[in-house]
Each structure stands twice: as C-alpha cells, then as structure tokens.
Amino acid sequence: MQPLSPERRSSRSDLPLIVKSDLHQSIDGRTIVDRNEVLLVGRLSAVVEEHPMPSGDTVTKWRIIVRRRRADRRGGTVTDSVPCVTFDRETAAVLRSLKPRDYIEVTGAFRCRVFGPAGAKIWRYEVEVSTAKPVDVAVLPEPEPEDGDHPAAAVPALVPRQVSYLAQVG
C-alpha cells in the first residue's frame, strides 16, 4: 500500500488525493490526519429534485452512479448509487443543466443526517457537494489495468446477459 502523500493524484481528474492543510496535527510525535473529502466521478442517475426548507434555503438532491473497479462473481459490472445533496445555488444550477446518465464530477464531504422522532430515528449517509462540473467522457483517460486485469477481461461485463426466467411464458 502506498503511503498517503500530496504527490498521489486521481487517475481520472489528476486532482491531488491528499492535500497539505492546517488540519494536520502532531501529538506525541504522531501525525493525525482527520479529513472528510469526497471526489466522485460517475453518471447522474435521474433528474435532480429540489425541496424548499423551512429556513428558506433549497436543498437539491440526486444520486450519482459510480462503477467499481472489480466485476461481480458472474462477470457483471458492480455499481454504487451514492446519494448527494447541495445547498449551494451555483452547484444546483450546474446539476439542473444536466440530463440523466450525463457524466459528472463532484467534490464535497461525507455527512450523516438524522431524521424522525426521538423513538424512531432514521440515519442517512450522503455526500454534501460543494462543487459539481460536467465531465466530457471523450477526454477521460483510460484507467490503467491493475495486476491481473486485462482489457479483454472487461468485454464480458459489457455484453447483456439473457435472463431466462423473464423469457418463460407462464
């Protein structure tokens, strides 16, 4: 495993993964790094939703679909649908201009929000986005294959599989 350093960069956006900041503290000769930074590049899952808040602010909600690097047991593509929100008007305007399945890059922080009455709390985890920008898929560099990965190994994941139980007539 590579040590965390400011020199490591994202393979897709070339943004630094770890940035030196005032948050680095040294206690008893140990470096403590508490960071809450998220960078996601993926597809917008559906049209964004906007909800007015009692404070007068508007919260914009959406999900971003992010593929994992590994395939599942049957060779299919594994994805995560990550819930995102923003309270920023400029970021919301960028999102409203996008269509579902458009590629987007977002940065923000991981948040836990708690809803409901005292006896029945619901915990939701989401990314509170501070910036969003559309990504032109044609300019994204191809990810380098990891050890054991071969470009031809990804082809079966792209071919649709037949689902036999849907074809059966009852």
Side-chain angles (χ1 to χ4, degrees):
M1 183 171 151
Q2 293 179 333
L4 298 177
S5 71
E7 291 78 31
R8 289 190 54 209
R9 295 188 171 276
S10 167
S11 62
R12 288 188 182 260
S13 66
D14 200 37
L15 293 173
L17 295 176
I18 300 293
V19 180
K20 288 185 179 180
S21 72
D22 296 334
L23 298 178
H24 293 82
Q25 301 173 6
S26 179
I27 299 174
D28 299 332
R30 297 181 186 177
T31 300
I32 297 176
V33 182
D34 288 344
R35 302 190 70 84
N36 187 353
E37 298 172 351
V38 176
L39 168 66
L40 297 170
V41 178
R43 291 178 289 125
L44 189 64
S45 69
V47 177
V48 299
E49 300 175 8
E50 293 187 322
H51 301 283
M53 305 291 284
S55 65
D57 290 335
T58 300
V59 61
T60 304
K61 298 180 177 185
W62 73 97
R63 287 184 170 272
I64 186 170
I65 301 168
V66 180
R67 288 180 288 191
R68 295 186 186 178
R69 288 182 75 71
R70 65 173 177 80
D72 70 358
R73 292 180 292 153
R74 293 168 284 196
T77 303
V78 179
T79 61
D80 292 308
S81 176
V82 182
C84 300
V85 300
T86 189
F87 297 93
D88 184 65
R89 291 180 184 153
E90 292 175 12
T91 303
V94 169
L95 291 160
R96 282 192 303 270
S97 70
L98 298 173
K99 300 179 303 231
R101 303 191 60 82
D102 282 352
Y103 275 88
I104 186 170
E105 176 179 303
V106 299
T107 60
F110 192 63
R111 300 281 188 243
C112 177
R113 297 198 314 170
V114 182
F115 302 92
K121 294 287 184 194
I122 299 171
W123 297 64
R124 301 272 181 203
Y125 292 93
E126 59 199 9
V127 175
E128 186 175 328
V129 173
S130 55
T131 66
K133 66 179 182 178
V135 175
D136 185 8
V137 181
V139 299
L140 285 178
E142 287 294 321
E144 295 181 21
E146 292 181 359
D147 295 341
D149 283 350
H150 188 273
V155 172
L158 300 175
V159 178
R161 291 178 284 132
Q162 292 183 353
V163 183
S164 59
Y165 68 87
L166 291 176
Q168 294 175 352
V169 178

